[in-house]
Amino acid sequence: MAAYEKADLERRMAGSVEALKGDLQGLRTGRASISLLDPVTVEVYGAQMPLNQVATVSAPESRMLSVQVWDKSNVGPCDKAIRSAGLGLNPIVDGTTLRLPIPDLTEERRKELAKLAGKYAEEARIAARNVRRDGMDSLKVDEKKGLFGEDERKKLETEVQKLTDKTIAEIDAAATAKEKEILGK
């Protein structure tokens, strides 16, 4: 059985791009987005749970998020989790609802977010290169097994490299677009 599968490499590289897009979506640009609260986990019922599993998150206004907590006893832990998440948000408690005004971004904060977007992009590039390395290694294993010759291996390595270049170009495009959005250019 062949170790090299082009479809698997394509799927894994596409996964690195999708993961990056998800990470970038969580970076705020001064507008309310419910994905901003995706990384927040709350300690309730003796376990860490994502915020969206204990409350309904919505964006009723362009500069406000609303978190409707389902169980009144979880309002305090949700408030604490949001404050300690490092997102720069300070909830206003109103019964079982937490209102999160989105503050204006300062120039310093914009630069920090742009650096963070660059860090996410570099992690995605590393993931794509790791997939390439796995593909190249599996090609060498298949060649040693006698499934194909050196010429075929080199041809397939060129395909893997082209796929990697395409994926890294997608990563760079997504990161550049987000940095422009953050910096307001």
Side-chain angles (χ1 to χ4, degrees), residues 123-135:
E123 289 170 359
R125 284 186 209 101
I126 290 169
R129 290 184 194 120
N130 286 340
V131 172
R132 176 189 62 195
R133 184 195 62 229
D134 293 346

Side-chain angles (χ1 to χ4, degrees), residues 8-21 131 163 167 170:
D8 183 52
L9 292 179
E10 289 172 343
R11 180 190 55 78
R12 290 173 58 198
M13 286 203 187
S16 67
V17 173
E18 290 307 312
L20 170 67
K21 288 180 179 177
V131 172
L163 178 62
T167 303
E170 289 177 33

Side-chain angles (χ1 to χ4, degrees), residues 102-147:
I102 307 294
D104 289 332
L105 289 175
T106 63
E107 186 64 27
E108 180 180 317
R109 182 71 177 140
R110 286 179 188 273
K111 288 180 180 175
E112 287 176 19
L113 289 173
K115 281 184 184 177
L116 190 56
K119 177 181 163 232
Y120 289 161
E122 186 56 32
E123 289 170 359
R125 284 186 209 101
I126 290 169
R129 290 184 194 120
N130 286 340
V131 172
R132 176 189 62 195
R133 184 195 62 229
D134 293 346
M136 298 293 196
D137 290 348
S138 64
L139 286 172
K140 289 175 185 170
V141 167
D142 285 351
E143 182 188 12
K144 285 182 183 176
K145 288 181 182 176
L147 297 176

Side-chain angles (χ1 to χ4, degrees), residues 50-137:
L51 181 65
N52 63 8
Q53 290 186 5
V54 294
T56 302
V57 181
S58 63
E61 301 172 26
S62 65
R63 314 262 308 138
M64 175 81 67
L65 288 173
S66 175
V67 178
Q68 182 68 42
V69 183
W70 301 328
D71 184 352
K72 191 174 185 176
S73 64
N74 292 336
V75 172
C78 288
D79 178 41
K80 181 181 176 186
I82 293 169
R83 288 180 192 275
S84 64
L87 299 171
L89 300 174
N90 293 312
I92 300 166
V93 180
D94 181 17
T96 59
T97 303
L98 301 173
R99 299 198 195 302
L100 300 142
I102 307 294
D104 289 332
L105 289 175
T106 63
E107 186 64 27
E108 180 180 317
R109 182 71 177 140
R110 286 179 188 273
K111 288 180 180 175
E112 287 176 19
L113 289 173
K115 281 184 184 177
L116 190 56
K119 177 181 163 232
Y120 289 161
E122 186 56 32
E123 289 170 359
R125 284 186 209 101
I126 290 169
R129 290 184 194 120
N130 286 340
V131 172
R132 176 189 62 195
R133 184 195 62 229
D134 293 346
M136 298 293 196
D137 290 348

